[in-house]
Amino acid sequence: MQLKYGAQTTQRRDDPTMRAFRRDRFGQFIHWGLYALPAGVWRGETYDFAAEFLPKSANIPDADWQALAADFTVDRFDAAEWARTAKAMGARYVTVTAKHHDGFCLWPSEYSDTTVAATPHGRDLLGEIVAAYEAEGIAVHLYYSVLDWHHPDWRYRIESADDEASFARFLTFAQNQLRELATRYPTVRGFWFDGTWDESVKANGGWTLEVERMLKELIPGVLVNSRLRADENGARHRDSNGDLMGDFFSGYERRLPDPWDRSMAEHDWEACMTIPQNSWGHHASAAVAATRKQPAELIEQLAHAVSLSGNLLLNFGPMGDGALPAFEVEIAREIGDWMRANGEAIHGCGMAPGWDYPGWGYYTQNADTGATYAIVTRMPVSGVIKPQAPAGTSIRSVRALATGEEVEFARLDDQTISIPVPREARVPIVFALEAEREQAPAPSQEVNPDVA
Ligand code: JFZ
């Protein structure tokens, strides 16, 4: 089907910016805004739903909500500290909420009356974040919610000529803000769109394409996630022909491809993940805290994503005063310890072609060096794993990545070996496997057809 607003190409990008994003594999998501102040609690009542949805959960009038700007004094905010934490965790890029659904802007937007300019300090918090992360060599992407609970012209659906006119004004406003962001922060590497699922946006696929084009004109090579885009039939992420719109698929949210599906590696993708079950903004509730994932669980998810040539964007919700919650600092530290020893199996890696999905974890491979990694996330009770190289290849050596030591293994057949795994491992242990093509093909022999 011929589409005007669908995918502009069926080729995946292979330019330096895209390659860098692909190599990075691990990013930090930051959800920070006014919602960090109440942290899910309003007038003594705790709402366990996502903290950034509090205005809806507690039915808070917009004026009361925007008044929080007076309390957004961010006394403990230190962008350099956030950036150091991200760097030490092994994150290579950050995606930060410039504007979330509540409309509050972390930069002093000239198009909005609810921004950092309305806080007592008036600081350009977004600018500080961009500068601090880039100083650490971390690429910055800007999250932007098209959905806007504050703007009077926002519409969920278009039901009248009035709605039509309002929403047209709204789209101009959003496009102005996006031009403003791309102009103020021309060093950013990507835009991450959200809040694009309503009928009103889906009816404006042409606008989503126009925005993508505008951003790429202002910042050559800039990355745009699939969540921005809709075609003329309202198909999202993928157009009516099934072709991916935007540069990478961003539909995996708080979940990963399950069952493991190697067709995922045919396009670029990124999954975003929360530490608690369901809150992106900082949440004060003990019930929400009880759902926090363990560092080892998050590392497992990172390995899962990379084994399918995807990225993981792990969310942090800094507190209203700008400090990172202690539990997030601790999780970042533990992931960082693992990454320092094992990051070689993550950064620059993707799916290991020809290696089957092993029940005990994930394989990743660095296409440049050819090294294959076995990341053991589900230790078999037997205490052994049996990696199997692709047909025609054979595993020559095994090294424990964290110690660098050679590991003894038993050979089961040409392709398969058996490795004893130390049972005390508390985080995924990683083996670097060196496999080579067989020298001479094995002579064919009669086989028992019953055990084929
Ligand atoms: C959205 C936001 O509503 C949320 O606050 C957060 O910013 C997150 C990253 O994005 O939530 C979504 C978006 C998409 C889906 C579900 C929740 N989805 O596609 O299933």
Side-chain angles (χ1 to χ4, degrees):
M1 174 189 331
Q2 189 68 26
L3 295 171
K4 238 164 99 188
Y5 306 141
Q8 298 302 292
T9 171
T10 53
Q11 300 294 312
R12 58 199 282 179
R13 276 177 60 173
D14 198 28
D15 49 274
T17 307
M18 191 69 205
R19 281 202 291 271
F21 174 70
R22 204 176 277 148
R23 270 197 309 272
D24 285 353
R25 287 301 182 223
F26 186 30
Q28 181 191 43
F29 214 168
I30 295 268
H31 275 72
W32 194 45
L34 298 182
Y35 44 81
L37 285 165
V41 182
W42 197 255
R43 308 223 160 116
E45 185 103 29
T46 300
Y47 298 82
D48 283 339
F49 195 61
E52 71 279 10
F53 273 80
L54 188 64
K56 296 289 157 199
S57 310
N59 209 359
I60 302 166
D62 183 62
D64 294 357
W65 184 259
Q66 305 302 343
L68 287 168
D71 301 329
F72 202 49
T73 52
V74 305
D75 304 306
R76 294 206 292 158
F77 171 60
D78 177 2
E81 182 65 30
W82 292 12
R84 278 194 297 272
T85 302
K87 176 100 178 178
M89 178 172 77
R92 293 277 168 92
Y93 63 102
V94 66
T95 303
V96 55
T97 49
K99 183 195 86 160
H100 205 266
H101 308 338
D102 66 0
F104 181 78
C105 303
L106 281 188
W107 82 102
S109 174
E110 63 172 278
Y111 301 102
S112 172
D113 59 358
T114 182
T115 78
V116 285
T119 63
H121 53 79
R123 282 154 66 186
D124 175 6
L125 301 175
L126 186 62
E128 291 181 31
I129 293 168
V130 171
Y133 277 79
E134 288 181 348
E136 288 288 349
I138 297 176
V140 180
H141 299 219
L142 302 181
Y143 166 108
Y144 183 87
S145 171
V146 177
L147 163 64
D148 193 314
W149 298 327
H150 173 68
H151 199 288
D153 289 325
W154 167 261
R155 294 292 180 275
Y156 290 93
R157 59 193 72 79
I158 311 296
E159 285 165 342
S160 65
D162 251 21
D163 287 346
E164 180 105 35
S166 296
F167 200 65
R169 281 195 301 274
F170 178 81
L171 292 180
T172 302
F173 151 76
Q175 192 165 350
N176 283 340
Q177 282 208 316
L178 288 159
R179 187 181 308 102
E180 184 182 41
L181 282 170
T183 310
R184 287 180 64 102
Y185 313 105
T187 53
V188 299
R189 191 174 70 178
F191 283 83
W192 205 103
F193 286 91
D194 195 18
T196 46
W197 47 76
D198 287 296
E199 293 306 323
S200 52
V201 182
K202 289 200 287 183
N204 282 280
W207 179 84
T208 69
L209 177 58
E210 195 180 320
V211 164
E212 179 177 1
R213 286 196 174 133
M214 176 189 78
L215 294 174
K216 289 179 174 178
E217 220 168 272
L218 292 169
I219 306 179
V222 80
L223 298 164
V224 171
N225 63 335
S226 62
R227 200 175 282 193
L228 165 66
R229 297 278 278 106
D231 73 5
E232 50 263 62
N233 305 314
R236 297 183 57 237
H237 294 282
R238 296 178 202 280
D239 68 17
S240 307
N241 294 324
D243 294 322
L244 181 68
M245 296 182 285
D247 300 312
F248 61 92
F249 183 73
S250 58
Y252 281 90
E253 154 128 8
R254 297 186 290 120
R255 69 196 171 97
L256 286 154
D258 184 19
W260 192 85
D261 170 8
R262 66 171 71 249
S263 74
M264 286 299 296
E266 289 163 15
H267 53 71
D268 291 291
W269 63 279
E270 173 194 74
C272 53
M273 189 57 63
T274 45
I275 293 174
Q277 174 54 32
N278 178 22
S279 187
W280 298 86
H282 176 61
H283 209 302
S285 159
V288 171
T291 66
R292 286 174 196 158
K293 298 174 189 73
Q294 296 294 318
E297 234 175 315
L298 298 165
I299 293 167
E300 175 165 10
Q301 294 182 328
L302 177 58
H304 185 160
V306 176
S307 77
L308 290 170
S309 297
N311 289 17
L312 188 78
L313 187 62
L314 178 61
N315 184 67
F316 284 68
M319 297 189 286
D321 63 6
L324 291 171
F327 80 89
E328 287 186 351
V329 172
E330 180 56 21
I331 285 173
R333 199 187 55 72
E334 290 192 38
I335 294 176
D337 285 347
W338 186 86
M339 287 292 281
R340 260 182 300 286
N342 301 291
E344 186 187 315
I346 299 294
H347 295 137
C349 291
M351 196 181 75
W355 294 70
D356 280 330
Y357 174 67
W360 41 255
Y362 303 97
Y363 293 114
T364 65
Q365 192 173 87
N366 184 313
D368 295 330
T369 65
T372 304
Y373 303 94
I375 306 177
V376 185
T377 54
R378 291 180 292 278
M379 182 84 89
V381 287
S382 64
V384 299
I385 59 165
K386 298 177 181 176
Q388 185 178 42
T393 64
S394 188
I395 297 164
R396 298 290 175 211
S397 73
V398 178
R399 188 164 48 88
L401 201 52
T403 62
E405 277 163 27
E406 286 286 318
V407 174
E408 302 256 339
F409 60 90
R411 184 168 295 287
L412 304 183
D413 61 35
D414 287 348
Q415 286 171 254
T416 319
I417 63 168
S418 165
I419 309 176
V421 182
R423 283 163 189 276
E424 61 278 7
R426 299 276 327 240
V427 288
I429 187 167
V430 182
F431 297 105
L433 311 177
E434 211 183 300
E436 281 172 9
R437 277 248 136 247
E438 288 289 352
Q439 303 308 44
S444 62
Q445 21 173 261
E446 283 296 309
V447 292
N448 177 346
D450 295 335
V451 294

